[in-house]
Each structure stands twice: as C-alpha cells, then as structure tokens.
C-alpha cells in the first residue's frame, strides 16, 4: 500500500500567514495525518498476514485429507501404519524445514541455486519474511512428503519413512522451490535479474515444485521396492488390491479439495493489493478467480474420469473419480492464477486422460503404486506445467508478475514460445534433480535392507507386526489373521 505523506511547510503556507500559530497547526495536522497513515499501513500488514496464516491453516488441513485418503486406499491391515506415517511427515518435516529447508528455499541474499540465510529462522522476522511465511511454506513442504508416502504404502519399513521424509523436506524440495519461487532463483518468474528465456517459470502454486517433486520421489521409492505381494500374478496380469474404505477415500478427497483453496489462492501470499484497472478490481479479485479455476479444473477432471472409466470398465467407481478430481487439482496448480476459467476446463479434461494413460502404462510396466501418487501428481503435475505455458493470458501474467514489460505468456494465447521453453526446462530439471537425489537415497536404503519389510510381515499386515495391533476392533478374532482384512466389522462399545 502506498504511504500517505504530509509536508508541514507546504501546509503552513496554505493556512495563510507564515506565523508561529500556522506552523504549529500544520505540524499538528500533519502529525495526525501521519498517525492515520501508519494505522492504514499496519492494518494492511495485519490483513495480509491474517490472510496468509489462514491459508496456511487450510493447507495444513490437507494432511488430514492425505491421511484419510491413504487409509481408505490401503487394506485394513495397514491402516494404522499409513496414518502414522502421515503424522510423522508433518512432525519430521516441521523440524527439518525449520532447521534447513526454509533457509535453502528462501534465504536471501543468495545465489540462483540455493538459499544461504534464515537457518533455524535466525533473522526472522525481516522486511521480506515473517513467521507466517515460514508456516505457509512448511505446509507445502510436508504436502510433497505426503505425496511420496502414498506411493510406497503397505510394504515400507518405518525407519525409511523417517529418513526420506526428513531428506525431502529439509533439502530436495527446498532446492526446487528456491529455483522457481525465490526472488534469487535462476528460473523464478520473480527474479529481479535475468529471467530464463526472458520469462521465468510460472509455476504459481507448484504443479512442478510440489506435485512433480513428490510424485517422482514416490516413483523411485516404489520402483526400487517392487510391487506388493499379490499385485501381479504368475503370468504378469494385474490383480486389484482394493483399498478397504471408499468412505475414507471420499472424506479425504473432500478435505483435500477444501485444502486446495488455501494451496492455490493462498499462494498470492497477500490479498490487499489494488490493480490499476479499477478500484473494485484488485488482487482480491485474482484470489477469487484462482479459486474458480481450481474448482473448474477438478470438476472437469472428475466428470471426465467418471465417464471414461465407465466406458473402459463398465462400472461407476467412486475411487477412480476421486483420483481424477485430485489429478485435475494437481494440474491447475501451476496456472491457476493466470488462466481464464474456460481454460481450466480444458486443463481438467486433459489431466483425467493423462492419469488414465499413466495408470495403463504403470500396469503394463508392472509398477505398483497403491494411491496412484506418481501417476497423479507426477504425470498430471507435468501436464499442468505445460498447460500453463500454453494458456496463460497476457493480462493476468502482467498483474500477478508485474514490473517486467514484454514478459512472455501462453503460446496459444499469442505469447510466443519463450514461456513454453522455460516450462520444458522446468520439467526436465525437476525430473533430473529428484532422480539424482531421491533415487540414490532409496537405492541405498534398499541395499542396507532398511527399505522393504519382510514377506511374512507384509502378508500379516504392518499394523500387527510393526504397531502392536490393528486399527479396527473385530467381532471375530479369526479375521485378524492378516488374510481377511478387507472388510472389518467394528465391535460395539
């Protein structure tokens, strides 16, 4: 918000004679004027900080959504295990993002590769960042870790979760977010120096930074571990290992849908910013538009998945529809603030097809991901990055990323090839970075026999063998032998 200024000398001349009384009156009036101006400035800080904190709380609620989605998507004998990993993603991520992650991501001044300040939040608050910025960015970091946990569910040792989650949130993810979101990042659209291809990467809320990172990390974990026992029969045909609760999947999906309204609109970081095109129109309008594009992309993806899967399988499957919905959200996350609502429908439609195609490829390659996390977040996230480079509109790009005349926008909107070139670079470097960091980590854990549980433990279920009992209480103890866990009967109190 622009500051309001008052000059006592100028005001005294307007009051009439250059007398002591006139000067005193001018000083008094300007003093009151300055006090009011300060209050307006403080109110603006408070409004923006409250908006960011509230967005952080909403994004954090996605952890509950992840937990419920994961719990419903696995078999009942592994319910307690997967929920515990979601809790520890948040807890371990909180410590390591506090110690290292936020500094690597946003520590400034820095070079284009890695941040160098704010370790342990030293120097916070500063003119650039307050504690609310840390909380918001931490919620994003643990979302990336939560994505990965779904890919390796039902067969991973507990210590492996702790190691990969700490490494991902403390180092791997922060480096990527520095590249594309920090004002010093080499490919950031907010870089005050030279922009990549004169454009920088427009990954507004993280189709690449969050979803691709989490999805590709999960891909390496799942492919190094191998499929769950029984996922493919002796002839190589896929065998469905259904999750035990569609109710939990739907609950988790709606919680994630709600969380995305903090994830995407909240990425503006502030709301009290007027635009020059009219007093009724400002960043608050862009926030609302971003919520609309998010909604439309997810809705289009859900309906496309519904009818496509009905055509392919002959069934109306709620779990498939939920994953399609989330795929649409993951795709629109990059361009949610710079595309028109009609373009969001295209984003969601294609995202559903991308997810279905990736799942077909995974099945043929005998790749097992219980939550389709690598396909959903990695595949649809990559599509979202490319979609933004095709459909970003000039007006919205200039509003969201001001101060650089001639900035590139979407290829299909008349903006040329520069933005698409930058976004192709983003997809390639994210795949490369996660491959050279998380791939060797998972392989080392595998070689040290710290990654996968034993076949006996896997057959019995991790709740029984690793956590002292099942998440559900059974009426018939014969069901708790680890072989009939799909439909638990809850005992009355």
């Amino acid at each position: 918000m622009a500051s309001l200024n008052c000059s006592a000398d100028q005001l005294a001349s307007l009051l009439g004679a250059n007398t002591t009384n006139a000067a005193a009156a001018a000083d008094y009036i300007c003093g009151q004027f300055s006090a009011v101006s300060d209050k307006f400035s403080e109110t603006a800080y408070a409004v923006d900080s409250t908006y960011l904190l509230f967005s952080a709380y909403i994004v954090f609620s996605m952890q509950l959504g992840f937990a419920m989605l994961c719990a419903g998507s696995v078999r009942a004998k592994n319910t307690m295990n997967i929920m515990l990993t979601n809790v520890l993603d948040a807890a371990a991520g909180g410590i390591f993002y506090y110690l290292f992650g936020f500094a690597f991501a946003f520590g400034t001044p820095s070079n284009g590769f890695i941040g160098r300040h704010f370790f342990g939040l030293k120097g916070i608050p500063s003119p650039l960042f307050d504690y609310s910025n840390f909380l918001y960015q931490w919620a994003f970091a643990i979302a990336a870790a939560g994505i990965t946990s779904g890919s390796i569910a039902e067969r991973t040792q507990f210590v492996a979760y702790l190691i990969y989650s700490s490494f991902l949130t403390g180092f791997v993810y922060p480096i990527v977010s520095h590249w594309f979101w920090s004002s010093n990042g080499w490919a950031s659209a907010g870089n005050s120096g030279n922009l990549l291809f004169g454009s920088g990467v427009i990954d507004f809320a993280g189709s690449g930074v969050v979803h691709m990172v989490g999805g590709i990390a999960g891909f390496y974990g799942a492919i190094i571990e191998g499929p769950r026992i029984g996922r493919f029969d002796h002839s190589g045909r896929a065998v469905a290992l259904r999750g035990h609760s569609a109710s939990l999947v739907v609950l988790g999906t709606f919680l994630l849908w709600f969380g995305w309204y903090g994830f995407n609109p909240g990425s503006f970081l502030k709301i009290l910013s007027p635009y020059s095109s009219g007093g009724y129109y400002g960043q608050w309008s862009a926030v609302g538009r971003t919520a609309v594009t998010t909604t439309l992309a997810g809705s289009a993806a859900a309906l496309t998945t519904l009818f496509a899967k009905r055509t392919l399988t002959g069934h109306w499957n709620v779990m498939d529809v939920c994953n399609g919905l989330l795929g649409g959200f993951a795709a629109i996350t990059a361009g949610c603030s710079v595309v028109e609502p009609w373009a969001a429908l295209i984003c969601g439609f294609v995202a559903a097809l991308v997810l279905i195609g990736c799942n077909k490829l995974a099945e043929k390659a005998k790749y097992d991901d219980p939550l389709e996390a690598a396909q959903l977040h990695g595949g649809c996230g990559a599509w979202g990055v490319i979609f933004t480079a095709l459909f970003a509109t000039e007006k919205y790009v200039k509003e969201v990323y001001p101060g650089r005349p001639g900035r590139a926008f979407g290829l299909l909107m008349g903006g040329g090839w520069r933005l698409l070139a930058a976004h192709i670079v983003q997809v390639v470097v994210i795949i490369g970075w996660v491959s050279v960091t998380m791939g060797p980590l998972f392989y080392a854990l595998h070689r040290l026999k710290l990654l996968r549980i034993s076949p006996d433990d896997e057959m019995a279920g991790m709740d029984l063998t690793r956590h002292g009992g099942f998440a559900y209480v059974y009426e018939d103890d014969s069901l708790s032998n680890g072989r009939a866990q799909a439909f638990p009967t809850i005992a009355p109190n």
Side-chain angles (χ1 to χ4, degrees), residues 229-247:
I229 296 173
R231 180 65 178 90
F232 299 95
D233 64 19
H234 295 297
S235 63
R237 290 178 300 181
V239 177
L241 300 179
R242 299 275 182 198
H244 80 278
S245 176
S247 299

Side-chain angles (χ1 to χ4, degrees), residues 170-313:
F171 182 68
V172 177
Y173 165 80
I175 299 299
V176 178
S177 56
H178 181 81
W179 293 347
F180 302 110
W181 285 347
S182 170
S183 60
N184 302 119
W186 63 269
S188 171
N191 192 313
S192 56
N194 294 324
L195 289 173
L196 179 65
F197 295 111
S199 164
V201 169
I202 299 177
D203 188 4
F204 184 71
S207 289
V209 174
V210 179
H211 295 284
M212 282 189 66
V213 168
I216 295 168
F219 169 80
Y220 278 102
I223 203 167
I224 290 171
E225 278 191 308
R228 292 167 291 173
I229 296 173
R231 180 65 178 90
F232 299 95
D233 64 19
H234 295 297
S235 63
R237 290 178 300 181
V239 177
L241 300 179
R242 299 275 182 198
H244 80 278
S245 176
S247 299
L248 289 178
V249 170
V250 173
L251 174 62
T253 300
F254 274 112
L255 287 168
L256 287 169
W257 189 337
F258 173 70
W260 242 288
Y261 291 132
F263 206 93
N264 287 2
S267 290
F268 280 94
L269 306 183
K270 58 183 180 179
I271 193 170
L272 198 57
S273 297
Y275 293 151
S276 59
S277 53
Y280 65 92
Y281 179 74
Q283 195 141 291
W284 47 88
S285 299
V287 167
R289 183 183 68 247
T290 299
V292 169
T293 57
T294 300
T295 302
L296 293 177
S299 300
L303 292 175
T304 303
T305 304
L306 175 70
F307 291 104
K309 295 295 286 188
R310 176 68 172 81
T311 302
L312 293 172
T313 67

Side-chain angles (χ1 to χ4, degrees), residues 63-156:
Q63 291 304 117
L64 178 57
F66 278 126
M68 295 299 99
L69 180 70
C70 289
S73 299
V74 302
R75 290 164 290 179
K77 62 183 179 180
N78 296 310
T79 305
M80 188 181 298
N81 172 262
I82 196 65
M83 288 195 292
L84 184 55
T85 61
N86 276 270
V87 173
L88 290 180
D89 279 340
I95 299 299
F96 281 86
Y97 199 72
Y98 161 74
L99 292 174
F100 310 109
F102 187 76
F104 288 149
F106 298 103
T108 187
S110 66
N111 55 46
F113 179 77
I114 190 170
R116 298 181 293 181
H117 299 279
F118 305 144
F119 291 97
L121 297 187
K122 184 178 180 181
I124 300 291
S126 74
L128 294 176
F129 298 109
D130 205 341
Y131 292 107
S132 54
N133 295 95
F134 165 80
L135 193 73
Y136 187 72
Q137 297 300 337
W138 159 73
F140 271 59
I142 61 175
I147 291 167
T148 304
S149 67
S151 295
I152 57 178
E154 296 203 281
R155 61 205 190 273
T156 304

Side-chain angles (χ1 to χ4, degrees), residues 167 172 179 216 220 429-441:
F167 186 57
V172 177
W179 293 347
I216 295 168
Y220 278 102
V429 298
I430 288 178
I431 293 173
W433 172 250
V434 179
S435 297
V436 301
T437 52
M438 297 302 295
L441 174 66

